[in-house]
Amino acid sequence: MSASHRFDPGFTQNVIDTMGPKMNPRHRVVLSSLIRHLHDFSREVELTIDEWMLGQDFVNAVGQIYTPQRNEAHRISDIIGLESLVDEIAHKIISETDTDPTSSSILGPFWSPHAPFRPLGGNIIQNPNPDGKICKMHGVISDLLTGKPIPGAVFDIWQASANGKYDFQDPENQEPNNLRGKFKANEKGEYYFYCYHPTAYSLPTDGPSWQLLQAMDRHPMRPAHLHIMVTHPEYSGCTTQLYPKDDPWLKTDTVFAVKPDLVVDFKPLQGDDKATLELEYNVILAPKGYKGKQI
Amino acid sequence: MSASHRFDPGFTQNVIDTMGPKMNPRHRVVLSSLIRHLHDFSREVELTIDEWMLGQDFVNAVGQIYTPQRNEAHRISDIIGLESLVDEIAHKIISETDTDPTSSSILGPFWSPHAPFRPLGGNIIQNPNPDGKICKMHGVISDLLTGKPIPGAVFDIWQASANGKYDFQDPENQEPNNLRGKFKANEKGEYYFYCYHPTAYSLPTDGPSWQLLQAMDRHPMRPAHLHIMVTHPEYSGCTTQLYPKDDPWLKTDTVFAVKPDLVVDFKPLQGDDKATLELEYNVILAPKGYKGKQI
């Protein structure tokens, strides 16, 4: 800790007090806290003028590289854990029983609102990759409180191909909606379809987020993962990611999106000529409005 | 305060712990503190996903508008007090005697390294503005410890014209280096020249910084000010700003750069056919390496 008492003790409050009476009350809460924390940070580390200017140049560089296909501000908030934290704040429910609802995880930048519905038992692999290992994925979607299945729940899945790229990023090899699909659970709450065993991939190794990772002596890898978003009008939806248990990047995921109940076991599959692997994953949703234990 | 104990207590430390062993130690201190404060801020206000995305869009918008003539990242750090705070951290010296060195204040974006030397008694007004009130400014530059004058100290001054614009911003009316000049103190440490009484002006009322000011229900005005930078090879230089004591924006300066010893009294001047006002301002510099009272 530094001798921050050298500095004007009223400075931060003075900045906050210039906010006017007509300000939206929530904005006042958020911006007051943000300003207080940025000032406390600056005093705590005795931020130098050169460091402050570097930060300013960095913010400008982040915005300059922005395109609808490349959002480095999003990526940087991911690599400092902010998206995962905001996701936890928004979705954390601690159940009043022994069972918790399926943990949420970050949406990431690759979800598409245009993924097509496919029939149960269908295949999201539209443009095969020779390195892809095909997996039959299946499970039951059930109610946190009653344990009963949730017929009609929608299971939306998206994933990168075996080259580590999503359709958006790889138009030469993948048509739009390759490795994307929505499936409607049957009367027993069951879903099942074919996808790939996921592949680990690197964040881009150019641009401001890579500069920041290098400055922190960190690797750019995300563990292999499947993205899922499970919804039903009467339930709190669950957007999350699933990770193979033997992935080497689980402990140091670049975006801090791994949680214990999201680590899964892909097993060899026999007797299905469409797939060599199997993944069973059951999803538990809380009824809409269920708050869980208030602690 | 929110029920932040709902959230994973190890999350922030885990993010920090992914930093590798080869990281520069100072970077580790700065980035660890920044990440900790951003996480604490997010938990404290229970930042929503929409608010986080708004912040991300805001960062992108700030960078997108950047040009060498327009740095909104700089301006935003000014309006949340960050440049003034970093300036205080860098320059605050508490004297061991009754006298303090002249307070520093922020450089701002309009200093130029190309300002010409002018002779003592010269005039920085190269392109007169009909609304400008001419002022004879003078004073002595002296040593904090001995009280003795500092011959050869360089007094660099820059200011906006009576329309509130600097030469860079106003090429139709102002040539480069209008209202800029450097003066070398004489044997008695004295400097003197002619300039304008300064004029209050508004920050630009478009772009991200203006959006932020509006969200905070704040005005965009800077009090009228003169910028000065006083240097000598054997002394810690002083970059600061001087404000007329009757300016209405002193208490709510948009960039929080006013300090008590920088508020000055412009007086009527008689017997000088070049000016109607007078400003006496003495500058006190600390010898290089002088640290002051360590508290």
Side-chain angles (χ1 to χ4, degrees), chain A residues 3 5-8 11-12 14-16 18-24 26-27 29-31 33-57 59-67 70-75 77-94 212 214-218 251-253 255-256 293-295, chain B residues 3 5-8 11-12 14-16 18-24 26-27 29-31 33-57 59-67 70-75 77-94 212 214-218 251-253 255-256 293-295:
Chain A
H5 49 290
R6 274 198 300 136
F7 310 127
D8 175 0
F11 182 78
T12 298
N14 181 38
V15 171
I16 290 170
T18 56
M19 295 177 185
K22 284 180 260 165
M23 188 176 184
N24 168 304
R26 174 65 183 167
H27 291 174
V29 168
V30 171
L31 288 170
S33 175
L34 183 59
I35 289 171
R36 205 176 286 288
H37 276 289
L38 287 174
H39 286 200
D40 285 348
F41 151 70
S42 304
R43 282 183 286 249
E44 188 176 304
V45 304
E46 300 210 358
L47 195 68
T48 69
I49 290 177
D50 285 350
E51 288 163 349
W52 161 72
M53 291 193 83
L54 197 72
Q56 184 184 299
D57 292 346
V59 167
N60 283 324
V62 165
Q64 294 274 291
I65 210 170
Y66 175 83
T67 69
R70 179 158 196 177
N71 188 335
E72 287 277 303
H74 187 151
R75 190 159 278 137
S77 65
D78 283 1
I79 68 178
I80 63 171
L82 211 53
E83 186 176 6
S84 281
L85 182 57
V86 168
D87 179 71
E88 182 187 33
I89 292 169
H91 298 117
K92 180 80 168 185
I93 294 177
I94 296 174
L212 183 59
Q214 285 179 299
M216 296 192 288
D217 188 22
R218 282 174 47 184
K251 292 274 182 211
T252 58
D253 177 14
V255 308
F256 308 100
K293 208 181 282 180
Q294 299 301 302
I295 58 172
Chain B
H5 49 291
R6 274 200 300 137
F7 311 127
D8 175 0
F11 182 77
T12 298
N14 180 37
V15 172
I16 289 169
T18 56
M19 294 176 185
K22 284 179 260 165
M23 189 175 183
N24 169 304
R26 174 65 182 166
H27 291 174
V29 168
V30 172
L31 288 170
S33 175
L34 183 59
I35 288 171
R36 205 176 286 287
H37 277 289
L38 287 174
H39 285 199
D40 285 349
F41 151 70
S42 303
R43 282 184 287 249
E44 188 176 304
V45 304
E46 300 210 0
L47 195 69
T48 69
I49 290 177
D50 285 350
E51 289 163 348
W52 161 72
M53 292 194 83
L54 198 72
Q56 184 182 298
D57 292 346
V59 168
N60 283 325
V62 165
Q64 295 274 292
I65 210 170
Y66 175 83
T67 69
R70 179 159 197 178
N71 189 335
E72 288 276 303
H74 187 150
R75 189 159 279 137
S77 65
D78 283 0
I79 68 178
I80 62 170
L82 211 53
E83 186 176 6
S84 281
L85 181 57
V86 168
D87 179 72
E88 182 187 34
I89 292 168
H91 298 117
K92 180 80 169 185
I93 294 177
I94 296 173
L212 183 59
Q214 286 179 298
M216 295 193 288
D217 188 23
R218 282 173 47 183
K251 292 274 182 212
T252 59
D253 177 14
V255 308
F256 307 101
K293 207 181 281 180
Q294 300 300 303
I295 58 172

Side-chain angles (χ1 to χ4, degrees), chain B residues 35-269:
Chain B
I35 288 171
R36 205 176 286 287
H37 277 289
L38 287 174
H39 285 199
D40 285 349
F41 151 70
S42 303
R43 282 184 287 249
E44 188 176 304
V45 304
E46 300 210 0
L47 195 69
T48 69
I49 290 177
D50 285 350
E51 289 163 348
W52 161 72
M53 292 194 83
L54 198 72
Q56 184 182 298
D57 292 346
F58 191 76
V59 168
N60 283 325
V62 165
Q64 295 274 292
I65 210 170
Y66 175 83
T67 69
Q69 283 73 46
R70 179 159 197 178
N71 189 335
E72 288 276 303
H74 187 150
R75 189 159 279 137
I76 282 161
S77 65
D78 283 0
I79 68 178
I80 62 170
L82 211 53
E83 186 176 6
S84 281
L85 181 57
V86 168
D87 179 72
E88 182 187 34
I89 292 168
H91 298 117
K92 180 80 169 185
I93 294 177
I94 296 173
S95 172
E96 290 159 311
T97 69
D98 289 346
T99 310
D100 282 321
T102 300
S103 289
S104 79
S105 186
I106 65 176
L107 177 66
F110 297 112
W111 178 74
S112 165
H114 306 302
F117 273 98
R118 303 188 193 272
L120 281 177
N123 192 339
I124 65 170
I125 308 163
Q126 304 292 302
N127 304 107
N129 181 301
D131 296 326
K133 282 184 249 163
I134 304 176
C135 171
K136 180 171 184 181
M137 182 169 180
H138 61 97
V140 175
I141 303 163
S142 64
D143 180 309
L144 172 71
L145 302 180
T146 65
K148 289 188 180 162
I150 308 175
V154 173
F155 192 104
D156 184 355
I157 179 167
W158 65 107
Q159 69 174 145
S161 190
N163 61 1
K165 292 186 177 170
Y166 294 85
D167 57 354
F168 296 162
Q169 301 174 297
D170 192 25
E172 287 188 18
N173 300 305
Q174 300 183 54
E175 289 160 25
N177 295 319
N178 183 45
L179 297 168
R180 300 179 186 275
K182 290 185 207 159
F183 298 88
K184 195 165 267 190
N186 65 18
E187 285 305 303
K188 297 177 190 164
E190 296 166 341
Y191 73 88
Y192 47 101
F193 56 78
Y194 294 91
C195 60
Y196 279 143
H197 180 284
T199 299
Y201 59 79
S202 171
L203 300 191
T205 52
D206 65 345
S209 62
W210 175 233
Q211 282 175 19
L212 183 59
L213 282 172
Q214 286 179 298
M216 295 193 288
D217 188 23
R218 282 173 47 183
H219 68 73
M221 297 301 292
R222 289 229 58 209
H225 57 278
L226 298 170
H227 289 276
I228 66 174
M229 180 190 283
V230 186
T231 54
H232 185 282
E234 293 163 27
Y235 291 84
S236 291
C238 179
T239 298
T240 195
Q241 303 183 22
L242 305 175
Y243 307 90
K245 68 175 188 181
D246 54 354
D247 189 280
W249 312 106
L250 288 182
K251 292 274 182 212
T252 59
D253 177 14
T254 313
V255 308
F256 307 101
V258 179
K259 294 175 187 175
D261 66 318
L262 305 177
V263 176
V264 296
D265 194 6
F266 286 81
K267 293 185 170 150
L269 178 65

Side-chain angles (χ1 to χ4, degrees), chain A residues 4 6 65 69 89 116 128 147 150 171-172 189 194 208 224 228 241 290:
Chain A
S4 58
R6 274 198 300 136
I65 210 170
Q69 282 73 46
I89 292 169
I150 308 176
E172 286 187 18
Y194 295 91
I228 66 173
Q241 302 183 23
Y290 178 74

Side-chain angles (χ1 to χ4, degrees), chain A residues 263-278:
Chain A
V263 176
V264 297
D265 194 6
F266 287 81
K267 292 185 172 150
L269 178 65
Q270 276 165 3
D272 184 331
D273 59 4
K274 292 194 206 146
T276 59
L277 292 169
E278 175 183 14

